Amino acid sequence: MHARWTMAALAAAALLATPAWSQAARVYRWTGEDGVVHYGDRVGDGAPAAAVTLVAVEIEPAPVARLRLEQRDGLVLAWAENLLDGPIGVVLRASAGAAPQAQPALPARATVPARGRVLVARIAGTAAASAELRLEAVPGHPGARPQDIEYAWPLQSRQLYVEQGWGGRFSHDDAENRHAVDLAVEVGTPVLAARDGTVMQAESGFTATGTEERYGGRANFVRILHDDGTMAVYAHLDAERVFVSSGERIRRGQRIALSGNTGFSSGPHLHFVVQVNRGMQLQSIPFRMFGPRGILRFDDPQQAAPAPADDPSPSARAGASE
């Protein structure tokens, strides 16, 4: 069982405005007693169960931010709108040709508070008319200062099997996932918050799974923002069993979802990682966790040598011990 979790930065091109991106949920179709065909994201009252069918709908991950361009006094004002319930970092770039005249000069960076908007740059009107602008956004405040916290076990199960740990060669070899762990567990196991925080993102509705890269952004997940600015991600959740909503305050030990096998994955598991925003890049950071039999200890991949290839034990393959 292997998995990859990626949070791609939003790339939005615009001349005067970018439309809102949307994520569709499952769509149901049924015929009422009056013979009228109905569609909806939930089945209406009185719909005969035998007449309800599920309509396949392609969905896309929800965006992190939106670029709004506003004309005023011969200038184009470039606003970044944060669509998350937590801070984000953004950078505005000219994607082709010479950068237009702007104040501040492009590329321009800004930090946008939860559900807020910030003026990123003022662009000369004549230059903006021919420029193609791109807004990139990354969750998290760039000034986050991680505290030394002991995280709780994130599963309502005493099973301990770390399938892939820090620096796993299959998919934990980039900055975003280097300190992630994949906890093998049966589909439908309750997932618990490992620390207090606020739900910053909650994605659900993705049902497909596979080991092709096209599944990389299709894992159901919950991102919880902690008070020190760090963020925990719980990924590859069940498509229909995410129990929390964006903006909700969460307590340590609270049930937030059921585990699944969605997105870039070859087997049922929970992908857990703690991240910060550093230089417009999500970076995973080391963490301490209390497991079913005591403190888990993960070898730092940048310091520890890899386990022997013929060692079959889960702890050796995962770089974890108790």
Side-chain angles (χ1 to χ4, degrees):
M1 179 273 297
H2 299 293
R4 178 185 299 278
W5 164 254
T6 57
M7 180 69 196
L10 169 70
L15 290 179
L16 286 180
T18 50
W21 294 11
S22 61
Q23 179 188 16
R26 290 188 171 189
V27 175
Y28 297 92
R29 179 183 184 276
W30 70 93
T31 302
E33 295 180 355
D34 55 2
V36 177
V37 177
H38 302 269
Y39 292 88
D41 59 0
R42 58 177 58 88
V43 179
D45 295 338
V52 177
T53 58
L54 180 64
V55 181
V57 177
E58 184 70 20
I59 62 176
E60 294 294 330
V64 173
R66 181 165 50 231
L67 175 63
R68 292 290 191 189
L69 301 182
E70 175 185 334
Q71 291 182 328
R72 185 186 301 174
D73 300 329
L75 298 174
V76 172
L77 307 184
W79 296 86
E81 297 180 352
N82 183 357
L83 304 180
L84 304 186
D85 284 284
I88 62 173
V90 299
V91 58
L92 180 66
R93 304 180 188 275
S95 58
Q101 182 179 354
Q103 180 61 40
L106 302 186
R109 296 193 178 196
T111 301
V112 190
R115 298 290 175 180
R117 75 171 193 161
V118 165
L119 180 61
V120 182
R122 295 175 173 84
I123 306 169
T126 55
S130 59
E132 184 175 298
L133 303 176
R134 184 175 77 251
L135 182 71
E136 298 171 0
V138 173
H141 194 291
R145 296 183 177 180
Q147 297 176 355
D148 184 17
I149 297 293
E150 181 183 283
Y151 287 81
W153 184 240
L155 293 165
Q156 192 173 305
S157 168
R158 296 192 60 79
Q159 173 183 334
L160 172 59
Y161 194 99
V162 180
E163 182 66 34
Q164 186 180 196
W166 292 0
R169 290 184 290 269
F170 181 76
S171 61
H172 292 179
D173 55 357
D174 59 354
E176 194 170 335
N177 297 286
R178 185 162 292 120
H179 292 98
V181 291
D182 289 342
L183 305 173
V185 68
E186 294 181 359
V187 170
T189 301
V191 176
L192 312 177
R195 182 180 172 185
D196 293 358
T198 300
V199 178
M200 189 172 180
Q201 293 173 279
E203 290 268 18
S204 61
F206 298 111
T207 57
T209 186
T211 55
E212 301 174 30
E213 286 297 329
R214 63 192 179 96
Y215 294 110
R218 300 299 192 274
N220 307 297
F221 73 94
V222 172
R223 177 183 297 275
I224 295 181
L225 173 67
H226 308 133
D227 292 342
D228 61 357
T230 61
M231 301 166 290
V233 175
Y234 307 74
H236 305 287
L237 306 174
D238 185 277
E240 301 288 339
R241 297 296 185 268
V242 172
F243 303 128
V244 295
S245 302
S246 187
E248 184 177 347
R249 185 68 182 175
I250 300 300
R251 304 299 296 178
R252 176 184 170 113
Q254 180 176 336
R255 188 176 72 156
I256 60 175
L258 298 186
S259 65
N261 181 30
T262 58
F264 190 95
S265 171
S266 63
H269 72 288
L270 173 70
H271 178 98
F272 178 85
V273 64
V274 181
Q275 298 173 329
V276 291
N277 179 353
R278 290 289 182 262
M280 285 297 296
Q281 181 184 37
L282 281 176
Q283 291 188 3
S284 58
I285 60 174
F287 61 89
R288 293 189 297 114
M289 176 173 284
F290 193 86
R293 294 188 294 275
I295 294 292
L296 299 178
R297 293 179 175 85
F298 301 97
D299 295 332
D300 191 320
Q302 297 179 345
Q303 299 176 2
D310 58 351
D311 188 338
S313 68
S315 62
R317 285 188 286 129
S321 61
E322 290 186 282

